[in-house]
Amino acid sequence: MAADEIAVIGGIDTHTDLHQAAAIDTVGRHLATEPFPTGPAGYEQLLHWLRSHGEVLAVGIEGTGAYGAEIARFLTTKGVTVIEVDRPDRKARRDNGKSDPVDAYAAATAVLSGRASGIPKTRNGIVEAIRTLRVARSSAVKARTQTINQIRTLIITAPAAVRERLRGLATGELIDALARSRPVGDLADPDCAVRITLRRLARRCQRLEEEIAEADADLGPLVTRAAPRLIALPGVGPESAGQLLTTVGDNPDRLRSEASFAHLCGAAPLPASSGRTNRHRLNRGGDRQANRALHTIVLVRMRHDQRTREYVARRTAEGMTKKDIMRCLKRFVAREVYQHLPRPHITAEQLKQAA
C-alpha cells in the first residue's frame, strides 16, 4: 500500500530539548519512531516525517500544558487534530516499561483506542495572557503570606521588650510600624538583630503588596474584557473569575456540557451509597485551584447574597450538614459560571453532533 493511502496516528512524548515522535496505523501497527529537536525547524521536520507515512488523522501529545505547549500550537495551526494525552498510570508503566519511544507509542495508541479524547487548550488568546499575569501575582501572594508568618514567628521568640510593644497589633498596623522603625545598636545584641530583621521583612511585605496591587490593576480590566458576563455574577471577583477562565482556557467550547465543566472543577458530586444509605460526597479530583475559586464564590454568597442565605437556612432546617450544603452550592455555581463563560456561538446542529 502506498504511503499516501495509509491513515496515520501520531504520538509525541515531549521534553525540553527533544520531542520523541511515534507513528502507528489505524490497526495499531507501529510504523516508526524518531526524535526531533524542539524549535520551529524541528517542528517542521516532525510534521513532514509524520506525513511521509500517510495521512495524519490525529496526534496525541503528552504534556500540552508544559513542554508540549508550542508543538501543540504549531500542529493546530497546520490543521492537524491534536489530542491531549494523560501520563500512563503506574500499572501500565510497570507492564510496558518506561522509555521515550514507549511513551510516544503509548500516546498514539491512547488516541487510537479512544482512551484519550480531550482537546488541549489553545493558549493563544486573552485568557493565556491572564494566566501568565496571574503567575506573578500568585507567587507574590504566597511570598507575602510566608513573610507575615516569619514576622509573627520572630515576634513570638523576640525579647520581651520587642514582643510586648508589638503584641496585639493587627497585621496592617504591625507591618507599617515595623517598616517605619529605625533600630540602632550592636548587631551582636539579639534585641537589635531582631528589630533590624523585622524591619527588613516588613519592607519586603510592603514591596510584595505593591507588586500584588500592580498585578490586580492589570488583571481587573483584562478579566472584565474577557468575560464581562462572568464578572457581573454575584460573588465573582477578578481573582475568582481569572482562575476559572485559566482553568477553561481560550477555547471553552472544548467542554461539551456544564457537567464536564463541573467535573473539571471538582464540583460534580460522586455517589457514595451503600446498603440503605443513599448519598453523594464531595469530588476531590479536578482542578483544585478552580475548586477553590468556586469555594470562595460560595462563601461570599453565603454571607452577602440573600438568595443563597435563604437556601442555606432551608437546607439546614431539613437536616443537611454545612459541608453537603456547600457541595450543592458549588455545583450550582459551576452550572451558572458555565452559562456565562465566553465561547463562540454553537449551533443546534453542532450541539447535536457533540452529543
Side-chain angles (χ1 to χ4, degrees):
M1 181 180 291
D4 57 357
E5 297 176 351
I6 299 176
V8 174
I9 296 175
I12 302 177
D13 182 36
T14 59
H15 297 278
T16 305
D17 301 317
L18 289 175
H19 291 337
Q20 184 74 39
I24 63 175
D25 60 16
T26 53
V27 295
R29 289 177 298 189
H30 295 178
L31 301 178
T33 181
E34 189 76 27
F36 295 91
T38 57
Y43 301 152
E44 290 283 357
Q45 295 170 13
L46 189 153
L47 180 58
H48 182 268
W49 176 82
L50 281 174
R51 286 176 171 170
S52 69
H53 292 89
E55 179 188 359
V56 180
L57 298 181
V59 177
I61 301 178
E62 182 181 333
T64 59
Y67 297 123
E70 183 58 27
I71 183 63
R73 278 192 289 261
F74 171 81
L75 292 176
T76 300
T77 58
K78 295 296 184 180
V80 177
T81 300
V82 176
I83 303 298
E84 185 172 6
V85 177
D86 294 332
R87 186 180 66 177
D89 58 26
R90 293 181 178 180
K91 182 179 184 302
R93 287 183 179 273
R94 287 195 299 268
D95 293 342
N96 301 323
K98 171 70 177 76
S99 71
D100 294 346
V102 168
D103 289 346
Y105 278 126
T109 55
V111 175
L112 177 62
S113 65
R115 182 176 62 83
S117 59
I119 301 173
K121 299 177 183 178
T122 56
R123 300 180 183 274
N124 59 357
I126 189 173
V127 174
E128 178 64 10
I130 292 172
R131 184 196 69 83
T132 305
L133 290 171
R134 291 187 73 254
V135 170
R137 186 190 187 279
S138 299
S139 62
V141 170
K142 183 177 181 180
R144 181 184 61 179
T145 302
Q146 183 184 43
T147 302
I148 293 173
N149 291 339
Q150 290 173 335
I151 290 174
R152 294 291 187 185
T153 302
L154 276 177
I155 291 175
I156 291 174
T157 60
V162 177
R163 186 174 66 251
E164 294 304 319
R165 182 174 61 87
L166 300 174
R167 177 179 293 182
L169 292 180
T171 300
E173 297 174 342
L174 176 64
I175 298 301
D176 292 340
L178 292 175
R180 292 195 306 266
S181 65
R182 297 292 186 270
V184 293
D186 184 5
L187 284 175
D189 180 10
D191 183 86
C192 177
V194 74
R195 289 175 187 270
I196 291 176
T197 302
L198 287 172
R199 181 186 63 175
R200 289 174 178 171
L201 290 174
R203 291 183 174 180
R204 178 190 299 174
C205 189
Q206 288 181 336
R207 291 192 295 270
L208 290 169
E209 289 174 351
E210 293 175 359
E211 184 177 338
I212 294 169
E214 290 176 358
D216 287 338
D218 292 334
L219 284 167
L222 271 183
V223 173
T224 303
R225 176 181 167 188
R229 296 174 57 210
L230 177 60
I231 202 72
L233 292 175
V236 180
E239 174 61 17
S240 297
Q243 176 57 61
L244 293 171
L245 288 174
T246 300
T247 298
V248 172
D250 283 297
N251 50 333
D253 50 300
R254 69 195 182 95
L255 302 175
R256 298 185 176 182
S257 66
E258 54 90 13
S260 64
F261 174 71
H263 274 285
L264 179 62
C265 296
L270 298 178
S273 303
S274 178
R276 298 179 180 179
T277 301
N278 184 16
R279 62 180 295 271
H280 290 76
R281 68 167 177 85
L282 290 169
N283 185 347
R284 296 178 178 84
D287 186 330
R288 303 316 299 170
Q289 296 303 314
N291 189 274
R292 186 186 68 171
L294 295 180
H295 185 81
T296 301
I297 296 171
V298 167
L299 289 178
V300 173
R301 290 188 177 187
M302 289 175 67
R303 178 173 296 184
H304 300 289
D305 183 56
Q306 184 61 30
R307 179 184 56 169
T308 304
R309 295 173 66 180
E310 292 174 356
Y311 174 83
V312 172
R314 176 168 60 85
R315 300 295 272 178
T316 301
E318 294 173 356
M320 184 175 286
T321 65
K322 183 178 180 181
K323 180 183 292 186
D324 285 338
I325 292 173
M326 294 189 71
R327 173 184 61 77
C328 295
L329 286 172
K330 280 186 182 181
R331 184 64 181 86
F332 173 79
V333 171
R335 181 180 299 113
E336 192 175 33
V337 166
Y338 178 80
Q339 294 170 353
H340 291 80
L341 287 174
R343 55 183 179 270
H345 177 70
I346 302 176
T347 65
E349 183 63 26
Q350 288 174 322
L351 285 175
K352 183 178 180 180
Q353 292 176 357

